[in-house]
Amino acid sequence: MPKFLIYSKEPTPYRMKRSLKGLLLAGISAEILIFLICYSIQPNWAETFRYAARYSGRLSFAVFMIGFYLFAFGHPRPVKENKTLRNWLTLFAVVHLIHFGFLATNVYLNEIPIIPVRLSGGALAYLMIVGAPLLLHKMKLVWQLVYFYYVSAVMGITYLARARGNFEGAEPFWFHYLALGLIIGCALFFGYKILRAKKKPATK
């Protein structure tokens, strides 16, 4: 079993228990590996960044869903006290910023048209993602829920658009439907888990 999957009797079962330094090293290494693999398959820079943006986005998606899981199953334990969750929020912010770099370079090299109105929702999500490691633990539950569900909604809309073929250079693929289903299913299940936890006394 990987070291970051360690069973614990704490409020969050199967805690992804690992130091922030270890998580960041793993995340950045994964991003570098994604870029190198994409370059080996598509040595043309425009195509390299197109594929790097695509697969780094999927890595960001996986990290976010783990963070959402830790939040839901750690409730009602405060985010401030949940160091593991805060580490994963930091990891998500870092890998998503790297993804943004790949994405921006892809847009530039492939001359993909930008529609400002469509970017506004995503820009807000990026600000929330970057600010979450520093601010989320200081906020009330309602704003923490806004963070997780808003970012989930933006990701869901993105995968829905890809499934419909609305993204230039990205054909509809089975992963888009799978990711959309996971986002909807997890959002509903995690919400149910949080509501149930609120009805029970907090465990220490």
Side-chain angles (χ1 to χ4, degrees):
M1 179 181 292
K3 292 183 179 179
F4 60 88
L5 292 176
I6 303 176
Y7 180 75
S8 172
K9 293 183 179 180
E10 294 195 28
T12 303
Y14 298 98
R15 274 182 87 199
M16 285 65 174
K17 191 176 181 181
R18 196 166 184 178
S19 68
L20 177 58
K21 182 178 179 180
L23 283 174
L24 292 178
L25 179 61
I28 295 173
S29 296
E31 293 284 11
I32 294 173
L33 182 61
I34 286 172
F35 181 81
L36 292 176
I37 291 174
C38 291
Y39 180 74
S40 67
I41 297 173
Q42 298 286 346
N44 176 278
W45 284 117
E47 290 303 303
T48 294
F49 279 98
R50 185 194 301 276
Y51 283 93
R54 180 180 304 175
Y55 291 106
S56 67
R58 295 177 187 181
L59 174 62
S60 292
F61 167 74
V63 173
F64 172 73
M65 295 309 296
I66 291 173
F68 200 172
Y69 162 83
L70 290 170
F71 173 75
F73 279 78
H75 193 77
R77 185 184 182 191
V79 174
K80 185 176 182 179
E81 298 175 8
N82 194 336
K83 185 177 180 180
T84 301
L85 169 58
R86 292 175 63 183
N87 287 348
W88 280 86
L89 289 174
T90 302
L91 174 64
F92 176 51
V94 171
V95 296
H96 210 58
L97 281 175
I98 295 173
H99 165 64
F100 175 77
F102 289 155
L103 186 62
T105 307
N106 170 47
V107 169
Y108 174 75
L109 293 177
N110 289 288
E111 300 180 348
I112 298 175
I114 298 176
I115 303 176
V117 175
R118 293 183 181 180
L119 291 179
S120 58
L124 177 58
Y126 268 104
L127 290 176
M128 294 171 70
I129 291 167
V130 173
L134 301 174
L135 302 173
L136 198 66
H137 62 285
K138 299 178 182 179
M139 297 181 176
K140 294 182 178 179
L141 175 62
V142 63
W143 294 111
Q144 294 171 359
L145 290 171
V146 167
Y147 165 78
F148 282 103
Y149 279 92
Y150 183 79
V151 175
S152 294
V154 171
M155 285 189 170
I157 292 171
T158 300
Y159 280 116
L160 178 61
R162 289 185 178 276
R164 290 178 172 178
N166 295 338
F167 271 75
E168 183 179 330
E171 298 297 324
F173 188 56
W174 63 265
F175 179 81
H176 303 147
Y177 297 97
L178 174 63
L180 181 59
L182 281 173
I183 291 171
I184 295 173
C186 288
L188 292 174
F189 178 67
F190 291 165
Y192 168 75
K193 181 69 178 177
I194 292 169
L195 287 175
R196 281 196 62 188
K198 286 186 69 175
K199 296 178 181 179
K200 297 179 181 179
T203 56
K204 295 184 179 181

